[in-house]
């Protein structure tokens, strides 16, 4: 089996959840004993999963309140449907297992995670199935253990707490579904998919941006959950993704910006000029001269593309520098009082949001250049085709072919 699937993510959080579930189960067992003595016999197998969800609920106040309320209602709903006892326990426990996975997702905020694996819908189903099976198995273990404690004349309070703790332990173990085979961060996964397509400076800058993005994620994970934290996480994700997308789109132009491509265009131009000088027909000579002039314009446009590439590289370096600033700024927030952290984090989020929203005007210019290049290539093709139909010149058949290939591969780059 793949070792990646067996990797346990966030082991400390899982151990904390199991400990809380054990404590909550023991408390539910004691409460069950008290309710029975008062003449209100509630099912222990319902009280324990509900108590585990209440004890393990994480997130902000709203998340904890919502998870706690759902933990009580959804686990009690199967008991009102009149199903068989085994199915009732299974469905009640399944609701608790799914809520434990949601609790893990709410721990750091669904929008506030940076370069961090996270559970998906698959893990909700896995958690529900695990909790249903483990609770049924734990119920049998608890019954055997309760009978053994009764034979030993164990005090009722101690026995109730032990039985509830055993059942709570099995419920808490189902939370392992939120720590196995997690889905990668979407920004991180996208950048990793684009990296093999890049080369040269684009590859180096994108790889560094991904490394800084991960380091920022490690620092963000140590900060308290605040709205500013989630806003900064979204900003960092957008900056990293846009930088990688821009690099991938311009990577296709790299081959066309080589010296060989420009040399081919120059050779085509000189070939057309020689054919024009050797041509005796005035009309054919004029057509060849127009084609040569068009190729001269395309050579100049190719030089402009090189300058534009330098601007794009400069923009990518600026994005990487902003990520570096964010990393250093987040490191400085690790120490200090909570209120100061929140204030500094909010200011940091606003600053980087403003920096990342600077409009780019290169996209429109690139579209205009690509359109002009296409028009120029069309003129070259039209002129050479008319010349070949006249049949009175010796111009090579390949005139404008390299330029046509260039125009076909120049992307309409979105740089905003």
């Amino acid at each position: 089996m793949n070792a990646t699937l067996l990797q346990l993510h966030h082991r400390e959080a899982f151990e904390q959840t199991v400990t809380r579930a054990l404590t909550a189960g023991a408390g539910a067992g004691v409460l069950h004993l008290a309710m029975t003595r008062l003449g209100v016999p509630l099912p222990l197998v319902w009280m324990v999963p509900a108590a585990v969800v209440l004890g393990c609920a994480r997130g902000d106040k709203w998340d904890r309140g919502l998870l706690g309320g759902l933990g009580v209602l959804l686990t009690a709903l199967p008991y009102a449907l009149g199903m068989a006892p085994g199915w009732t326990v299974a469905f009640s426990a399944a609701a608790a297992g799914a809520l434990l996975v949601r609790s893990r997702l709410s721990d750091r905020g669904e929008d506030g995670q940076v370069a961090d694996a996270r559970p998906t819908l698959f893990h909700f189903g896995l958690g529900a199935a695990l909790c249903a099976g483990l609770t049924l198995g734990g119920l049998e273990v608890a019954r055997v253990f309760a009978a053994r404690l009764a034979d030993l004349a164990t005090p009722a309070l101690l026995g109730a707490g032990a039985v509830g703790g055993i059942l709570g332990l099995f419920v808490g173990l189902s939370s392992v579904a939120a720590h196995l085979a997690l889905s990668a961060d979407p920004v991180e996964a996208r950048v990793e998919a684009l990296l093999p397509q890049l080369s040269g400076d684009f590859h180096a800058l994108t790889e560094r941006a991904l490394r800084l993005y991960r380091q920022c994620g490690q620092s963000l994970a140590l900060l308290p959950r605040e709205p500013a934290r989630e806003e900064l996480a979204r900003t960092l994700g957008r900056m990293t993704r846009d930088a990688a997308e821009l690099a991938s789109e311009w990577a296709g132009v790299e081959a066309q910006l080589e010296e060989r491509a420009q040399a081919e265009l120059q050779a085509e131009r000189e070939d057309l000029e020689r054919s024009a000088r050797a041509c005796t027909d005035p009309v054919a000579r004029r057509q060849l001269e127009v084609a040569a002039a068009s190729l001269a314009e395309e050579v100049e446009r190719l030089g402009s593309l090189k300058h534009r590439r330098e601007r794009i590289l400069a923009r990518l370096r600026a994005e990487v520098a902003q990520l570096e600033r964010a990393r250093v700024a987040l490191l400085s927030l690790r120490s200090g009082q909570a209120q100061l952290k929140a204030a500094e984090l909010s200011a940091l989020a606003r600053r980087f949001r403003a920096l990342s929203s600077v409009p780019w005007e290169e996209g429109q210019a690139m579209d205009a250049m690509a359109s002009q290049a296409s028009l120029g290539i069309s003129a070259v093709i039209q002129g050479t085709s008319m010349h070949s139909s006249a049949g009175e010149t010796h111009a090579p058949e390949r005139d404008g072919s390299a330029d046509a290939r260039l125009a076909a591969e120049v992307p309409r780059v979105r740089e905003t």
Side-chain angles (χ1 to χ4, degrees), residues 114-138:
V114 170
D116 192 16
R118 62 197 67 186
T120 60
L121 290 177
F122 164 78
H123 299 88
F124 282 91
L126 179 61
L130 283 178
C131 194
L134 288 173
T135 302
L136 290 174

Side-chain angles (χ1 to χ4, degrees), residues 187-215 236-237 239-251 254 312-313 315-321 323:
V187 175
E188 186 179 17
R190 177 59 178 165
V191 176
E192 288 181 344
L194 291 176
L195 273 176
Q197 307 173 12
L198 306 179
S199 61
D201 293 334
F202 287 113
H203 183 277
L205 288 172
T206 306
E207 189 175 28
R208 185 182 174 193
L210 178 59
R211 183 171 62 253
L212 291 173
Y213 178 73
R214 290 170 174 167
Q215 293 173 353
L236 293 176
M239 290 169 57
T240 306
R241 180 190 289 273
D242 288 347
E245 295 286 354
L246 181 62
S248 68
E249 290 171 349
W250 271 86
E254 286 287 275
I312 295 303
L313 283 176
R315 182 63 185 180
L316 288 177
R317 290 190 175 95
E319 292 285 352
V320 172
L323 289 172

Side-chain angles (χ1 to χ4, degrees), residues 72-347:
V72 174
L73 294 177
L74 293 182
T75 55
L77 181 61
Y79 291 90
L81 299 180
M83 295 184 294
W87 286 104
T88 300
V89 173
F91 276 100
S92 177
L99 290 174
L100 288 177
V101 176
R102 178 62 206 185
S103 175
R104 177 58 196 163
L105 189 60
S106 300
D107 186 18
R108 304 308 298 175
E110 189 171 1
D111 296 330
Q113 301 184 55
V114 170
D116 192 16
R118 62 197 67 186
T120 60
L121 290 177
F122 164 78
H123 299 88
F124 282 91
L126 179 61
L130 283 178
C131 194
L134 288 173
T135 302
L136 290 174
L139 181 60
E140 297 301 321
V141 173
R143 287 174 178 171
V144 173
F145 197 77
R148 184 58 179 169
L149 290 178
D151 294 340
L152 297 176
T154 306
L157 186 64
L158 181 60
V163 171
I166 291 174
L167 193 55
L169 175 63
F170 278 86
V171 175
L173 288 175
S174 67
S175 65
V176 73
H179 301 270
L180 292 176
L182 301 184
S183 176
D185 175 81
V187 175
E188 186 179 17
R190 177 59 178 165
V191 176
E192 288 181 344
L194 291 176
L195 273 176
Q197 307 173 12
L198 306 179
S199 61
D201 293 334
F202 287 113
H203 183 277
L205 288 172
T206 306
E207 189 175 28
R208 185 182 174 193
L210 178 59
R211 183 171 62 253
L212 291 173
Y213 178 73
R214 290 170 174 167
Q215 293 173 353
C216 291
Q218 295 174 359
S219 299
L220 277 177
L222 301 177
L223 297 177
R225 182 179 176 184
E226 297 286 344
R229 177 182 177 277
E230 298 185 357
E231 181 181 355
L232 180 58
R234 289 192 294 268
T235 301
L236 293 176
R238 183 173 63 253
M239 290 169 57
T240 306
R241 180 190 289 273
D242 288 347
E245 295 286 354
L246 181 62
S248 68
E249 290 171 349
W250 271 86
V253 190
E254 286 287 275
Q256 307 301 331
L257 297 181
E258 297 177 354
E259 294 296 333
R260 181 179 58 83
Q262 191 170 7
E264 288 180 358
L265 288 179
Q266 186 65 28
E268 294 286 345
R269 175 191 174 187
E270 294 175 355
D271 196 5
L272 288 174
E273 290 177 348
R274 285 195 300 269
S275 299
R277 288 193 297 268
C279 187
T280 58
D281 182 72
V283 177
R285 184 186 307 113
R286 179 57 182 168
Q287 292 175 351
L288 291 175
E289 290 175 350
V290 171
S294 299
L295 283 182
E297 294 178 359
E298 297 310 313
V299 171
E300 295 179 358
R301 291 193 181 99
L302 191 58
S304 299
L305 281 177
K306 290 185 177 181
H307 292 300
R308 198 165 301 280
R309 175 186 178 276
E310 295 177 356
R311 296 182 184 180
I312 295 303
L313 283 176
R315 182 63 185 180
L316 288 177
R317 290 190 175 95
E319 292 285 352
V320 172
Q322 290 182 20
L323 289 172
E324 182 69 36
R325 291 175 60 186
R327 182 188 69 86
V328 176
L330 288 172
L331 286 176
S332 65
L333 292 177
R334 288 189 177 184
S335 60
Q337 300 178 358
Q339 294 181 351
L340 293 179
K341 284 183 180 181
E344 293 179 6
L345 186 60
S346 179

